[in-house]
Amino acid sequence: MDDTAEKLKSDWFLPIDPSEKNDEFIAVESKSFLSEAWGRFKKNKRAVFGLIVVIFFILLAVFGPLISKFTYDEQNADVLNVLPNPTYWLGTDKFGRDIFTRLCYGARISLFVGFVSALINLIIGVVYGGISGYVGGKTDMIMMRTVDIIYAVPSMLYVILIMLVLGANVKSILIGICIPGWIGMARQVRGQIISLKEQEFALAALVLGASSRRILFKHLTINAIGPIIVQLTFLVPQAIFTEAFLSFVGVGISAPMASWGSMAQDSRQLITMYPIQLLWPTLAICLTIFSLNFLGEGIGDALNPKNR
Amino acid sequence: MKVISQFLRFDGGDIINEKLLEVKDVCKYFEVKRGYKEPQYVKAVNHVSFEINKGETLGLVGESGCGKSSLGRTLLRIYEPTSGSIKYRGDEITHLSKHRLLPYRKKIQMIFQDPYASLNARLTVGEIIAEPMVIHKMYNPKHRIERVQELLKTVGLKPDHIRRYPHEFSGGQRQRIGIARTLALDPEFIVCDEPISALDVSIQAQVINLLEKIQAERGISYLFIAHDLGMVKHISHRIGVMYLGHIVEMGPSNEIYRAPYHPYTKALLSAEPIPDPKSARTKKRILLEGEIPSPINPPKGCPFVTRCPYAMEDCQVAMPNSYKFGDRLVACFLYSPRRLRQRENFSIEPLLNKKQED
Ligand SMILES: Nc1ncnc2c1ncn2[C@@H]1O[C@H](COP(=O)(O)OP(=O)(O)OP(=O)(O)O)[C@@H](O)[C@H]1O
Ligand code: SF4
Ligand SMILES: [Mg+2]
């Protein structure tokens, strides 16, 4: 305190020479936030690898079935369990169905479940967690206890119960995954909002007259975007994994629909004779999940402005 | 009583004798819960009253944690006042709903301490400065951009900085951006909560000059918060000295600086470095001993009693009133009419100095 006061003698407070007026300079070159983040992202090799693989699987899901000559349920008793060859790129399974085609349909289901459930969880989680954290007090307490109750029930139970009611299909898997899926997001967002809402920029918005909604979504949530995206990028592989697992244990996608999980289940019995049939769906699951995780990490790092 | 000067003289801009803000008996207690025990209260602001005229700067000083920010934030309804009344141009705004408060938000504004935390890092400078106009639906979008550019010029930045992000600017420049955002609403009263304490010393004067220039041009009133007297003396017309949630002394700034009454003000001033070596030798230093008491368990009587070199018996039991001497107010028993009558033949200063020597 003495220090500043000493330096602050009153002769500091004389009008400054006009020439000195603008001698502060801009320290960093101007770039938009996103282009800067992209620049940081590009430097991260693992993340770029992840992105490429994810794009590859998306293309496979969208266009694969179109370029393939077979359908996912077309059985052919002449070509049971063939190894990869120019006609059947990845071989056929025990019913003579083309594995490549089935893998593409599996990608459709996996990615659809992954991205749609992540999107639903994002919206519910951000709104719920945001309101809980911003309003605080009793509302927060009640909202968080509710979350605890939902979370206390094992998530498999939701899926299985929903399956009983709605049947074994993508819709019930999606609902089953989403009932408890947004909770992690909501907790994360709530924590972020609680620490952000005390910051001066949030108080400034309040003083300017901004509505709670404006403060919450225009100021607070946008500043929590890094952790939100990181959380989001973990939700996608998690959902993909859950779907694969459910289908593998036989409560997910039912035959003849193809899912990576059910394909792995089908080839499990032939593992000693035709291990390659198990390799494809497993490889697809692993690659996708790893890549999504790399991608998530990379996006998280790139969005953090402190990593310049 | 002879010594107590009763004349009024301001050396800053023009003050129009028109009450802008009247604060009466405002308290702000924060509830703190400790497990399952009874809630306790941090008495951050305790029965504070003052007025601010149009075009006037009231400086608010006090040690860290004495409740300056809490007071400023309570005036702006960031915190809900526990009790008391806040009037703006005669209108009671203490308990107005969010919606009804909105028109007053245009007039009562705040400049924050931390230029890094007070701007939303995800918005461009243009968006930041235009936001108040968007919220209050002022002007059309095109006109807003022009206004933003004008405001940037007013605060000494370039109009083409509009597309840049806050992190590209230095602390001083950011504080200017914050000031421009505030000015977008044409406020009449601004709470400046230590607006320069986070800045480089060389930049501090520039920001102070800017604030003074704005005041001269627009007749804005300031509540200027700082934690040492030297900083506010220059810019303030009047000064309020705060201790443990109370305003213990208030009056014209040069008078307080020349002749502080309250023992705490004396101590604060004597702790200031003195630029003039001649007066430095003659001036006595009163050093404050001990810590500032916790605002959860403030002393029973006078808040300053635990550290006051003049503490008397009365001080332990009762809270002193604010005694008025001309334009000055001092909350200390030494200045109660009874004490003063007892010492009719003495002037206060020699008496206090004598006591200090023994
Ligand atoms: N939101 C809050 N909840 C509980 N206690 C608080 C809160 N805000 C402030 N306090 C307490 O109120 C007291 C006054 O704090 P305040 O921030 O107003 O002090 P200050 O004079 O501005 O200090 P500084 O010079 O450090 O900024 C402190 O004891 C502080 O711990
Ligand atoms: S009232 Fe008593 S304790 Fe308080 S400042 Fe005055 S003399 Fe000191
Ligand atoms: Mg403060």
Side-chain angles (χ1 to χ4, degrees):
Chain A
M1 167 170 154
D2 276 8
D3 226 30
T4 22
E6 180 131 41
K7 289 180 213 145
L8 253 184
K9 289 170 210 149
S10 52
D11 47 312
W12 276 106
F13 297 102
L14 293 172
I16 58 161
D17 193 83
S19 64
E20 283 177 49
K21 220 161 202 159
N22 260 316
D23 61 358
E24 292 176 46
F25 62 97
I26 303 275
V28 187
E29 201 193 327
S30 176
K31 260 194 213 161
S32 90
F33 175 69
L34 279 180
S35 76
E36 242 176 57
W38 174 240
R40 285 193 288 265
F41 183 87
K42 271 192 302 196
K43 286 193 201 114
N44 185 336
K45 287 204 188 76
R46 290 207 305 178
V48 173
F49 167 78
L51 183 66
I52 291 169
V53 174
V54 170
I55 289 175
F56 169 77
F57 274 108
I58 290 173
L59 292 178
L60 204 64
V62 177
F63 299 110
L66 305 180
I67 57 170
S68 139
K69 297 185 282 292
F70 308 96
T71 63
Y72 66 90
D73 54 354
E74 191 180 291
Q75 303 189 2
N76 188 345
D78 302 334
V79 285
L80 300 184
N81 298 323
V82 301
L83 292 178
N85 61 52
T87 325
Y88 301 99
W89 297 342
L90 304 180
T92 61
D93 66 4
K94 62 183 174 191
F95 298 114
R97 297 175 298 199
D98 180 41
I99 292 183
F100 174 76
T101 313
R102 286 179 67 73
L103 209 63
C104 293
Y105 277 96
R108 277 189 178 184
I109 287 179
S110 290
L111 295 177
F112 179 79
V113 167
F115 286 108
V116 172
S117 72
L119 188 71
I120 295 171
N121 288 336
L122 169 78
I123 294 168
I124 301 176
V126 167
V127 171
Y128 194 96
I131 291 173
S132 183
Y134 186 72
V135 176
K138 281 217 172 69
T139 316
D140 181 36
M141 214 265 294
I142 293 168
M143 286 177 88
M144 281 299 119
R145 288 305 82 78
T146 312
V147 157
D148 291 343
I149 293 167
I150 297 174
Y151 195 68
V153 180
S155 48
M156 281 307 148
L157 203 59
Y158 291 115
V159 180
I160 292 163
L161 288 177
I162 301 275
M163 293 271 176
L164 287 179
V165 181
L166 297 179
N169 53 37
V170 181
K171 198 168 84 189
S172 28
I173 290 191
L174 214 51
I175 297 175
I177 289 176
C178 286
I179 288 176
W182 54 274
I183 286 176
M185 180 67 86
R187 287 186 173 149
Q188 175 84 35
V189 171
R190 171 180 173 270
Q192 291 287 324
I193 298 297
I194 285 177
S195 70
L196 286 170
K197 75 174 177 182
E198 298 294 331
Q199 286 203 15
E200 287 185 346
F201 72 86
L203 300 182
L206 180 76
V207 168
L208 292 173
S211 62
S212 300
R213 197 159 98 203
R214 188 184 183 89
I215 297 174
L216 182 53
F217 294 111
K218 179 128 195 185
H219 292 285
L220 301 179
T221 309
I222 188 178
N223 273 279
I225 197 93
I228 288 175
I229 288 184
V230 173
Q231 184 79 25
L232 187 67
T233 52
F234 292 123
L235 280 176
V236 180
Q238 209 182 348
I240 289 178
F241 185 82
T242 308
E243 182 275 320
F245 173 76
L246 289 170
S247 302
F248 182 78
V249 299
V251 291
I253 306 293
S254 52
M257 275 297 286
S259 133
W260 292 343
S262 61
M263 286 169 72
Q265 171 61 25
D266 290 344
S267 52
R268 193 179 57 94
Q269 300 133 0
L270 306 170
I271 187 161
T272 45
M273 286 178 288
Y274 305 105
I276 197 154
Q277 284 184 26
L278 184 60
L279 177 74
W280 301 123
T282 323
L283 201 63
I285 294 170
C286 292
L287 264 178
T288 312
I289 289 176
F290 271 122
S291 304
L292 283 166
N293 279 319
F294 290 160
L295 185 63
E297 263 175 39
I299 293 176
D301 287 346
L303 284 180
N304 191 341
K306 281 171 200 108
N307 287 341
R308 58 177 66 260
Chain B
M1 282 272 249
K2 270 175 269 167
V3 210
I4 300 164
S5 48
Q6 302 213 353
F7 61 91
L8 169 66
R9 192 174 65 85
F10 292 120
D11 54 4
D14 293 338
I15 300 169
I16 300 155
N17 211 339
E18 181 185 336
K19 273 179 214 157
L20 200 62
L21 194 78
E22 284 172 84
V23 177
K24 221 168 180 182
D25 249 355
V26 164
C27 296
K28 176 64 203 173
Y29 299 165
F30 292 106
E31 197 179 301
V32 281
K33 283 214 181 83
R34 293 246 175 83
Y36 292 98
K37 283 186 214 150
E38 280 283 284
Q40 289 182 302
Y41 294 93
V42 176
K43 298 183 176 171
V45 178
N46 224 330
H47 298 284
V48 165
S49 307
F50 60 86
E51 289 162 2
I52 294 180
N53 289 322
K54 195 158 165 36
E56 184 186 29
T57 304
L58 175 66
L60 193 63
V61 290
E63 284 165 281
S64 189
C66 68
K68 306 179 297 290
S69 299
S70 302
L71 175 58
R73 289 175 176 192
T74 308
L75 298 185
L76 280 157
R77 296 278 309 275
I78 294 177
Y79 299 151
E80 290 304 314
T82 309
S83 64
S85 117
I86 304 163
K87 280 189 184 152
Y88 177 78
R89 286 189 179 278
D91 303 343
E92 182 74 59
I93 58 166
T94 329
H95 301 292
L96 285 187
S97 67
K98 239 191 130 153
H99 180 67
R100 308 238 336 250
L101 192 64
L102 210 55
Y104 296 95
R105 290 267 183 231
K106 277 192 191 172
K107 297 294 167 199
I108 311 180
Q109 273 304 314
M110 181 151 188
I111 296 170
F112 291 86
Q113 172 171 8
D114 182 352
Y116 291 87
S118 59
L119 304 177
N120 185 341
R122 304 283 193 217
L123 301 183
T124 62
V125 169
E127 289 169 316
I128 290 172
I129 300 176
E131 179 170 32
M133 297 185 263
V134 176
I135 292 170
H136 291 276
K137 305 192 175 69
M138 294 156 84
Y139 315 110
N140 59 31
K142 209 178 129 233
H143 196 162
R144 274 179 207 147
I145 297 176
E146 286 165 20
R147 276 261 318 182
V148 170
Q149 290 174 328
E150 255 166 56
L151 286 164
L152 279 170
K153 268 189 255 170
T154 309
V155 298
L157 295 170
K158 296 204 186 79
D160 56 340
H161 285 166
I162 199 161
R163 276 180 213 291
R164 296 180 178 250
Y165 284 86
H167 70 249
E168 300 170 35
F169 294 88
S170 68
Q173 289 173 318
R174 286 175 185 225
Q175 203 56 300
R176 287 167 195 266
I177 296 168
I179 293 171
R181 170 178 62 188
T182 314
L183 293 182
L185 290 175
D186 274 324
E188 293 185 300
F189 171 62
I190 304 180
V191 173
C192 308
D193 190 353
E194 309 202 26
I196 56 171
S197 65
L199 304 179
D200 264 18
V201 180
S202 57
I203 313 289
Q204 291 183 336
Q206 295 181 11
V207 172
I208 291 284
N209 285 334
L210 175 63
L211 289 173
E212 285 192 319
K213 187 189 103 188
I214 291 165
Q215 181 169 53
E217 283 171 8
R218 310 189 175 206
I220 295 178
S221 312
Y222 292 130
L223 177 70
F224 192 94
I225 299 176
H227 60 259
D228 65 295
L229 265 168
M231 222 177 263
V232 288
K233 182 196 149 206
H234 181 84
I235 192 175
S236 309
H237 303 99
R238 281 189 304 142
I239 288 180
V241 179
M242 214 168 164
Y243 186 80
L244 216 56
H246 297 267
I247 289 192
V248 293
E249 178 162 10
M250 182 140 63
S253 101
N254 43 12
E255 285 183 39
I256 291 209
Y257 211 73
R258 192 171 43 78
Y261 288 171
H262 195 280
Y264 178 62
T265 319
K266 286 173 192 283
L268 263 190
L269 264 176
S270 76
E272 299 263 308
I274 302 142
D276 175 17
K278 247 189 262 159
S279 62
R281 232 168 285 135
T282 54
K283 194 169 157 188
K284 284 225 155 52
R285 294 208 164 215
I286 309 169
L287 291 178
L288 279 182
E289 282 168 20
E291 287 291 301
I292 186 166
S294 147
I296 296 183
N297 291 310
K300 239 199 216 126
C302 168
F304 192 49
V305 68
T306 53
R307 298 161 87 190
C308 180
Y310 313 109
M312 304 163 285
E313 268 165 51
D314 297 4
C315 310
Q316 311 274 2
V317 280
M319 172 70 210
N321 287 326
S322 278
Y323 304 106
K324 198 164 162 50
F325 300 98
D327 296 307
R328 299 182 65 171
L329 282 170
V330 52
C332 170
F333 282 124
L334 291 174
Y335 300 87
S336 69
R338 191 166 66 90
R339 295 262 158 205
L340 287 178
R341 225 176 297 122
Q342 280 174 9
R343 299 166 187 167
E344 225 158 8
N345 300 321
F346 306 102
S347 62
I348 291 165
E349 284 308 313
L351 180 93
L352 296 187
N353 285 339
K354 189 166 156 271
K355 188 154 184 194
Q356 202 181 312
E357 273 149 27
D358 50 44

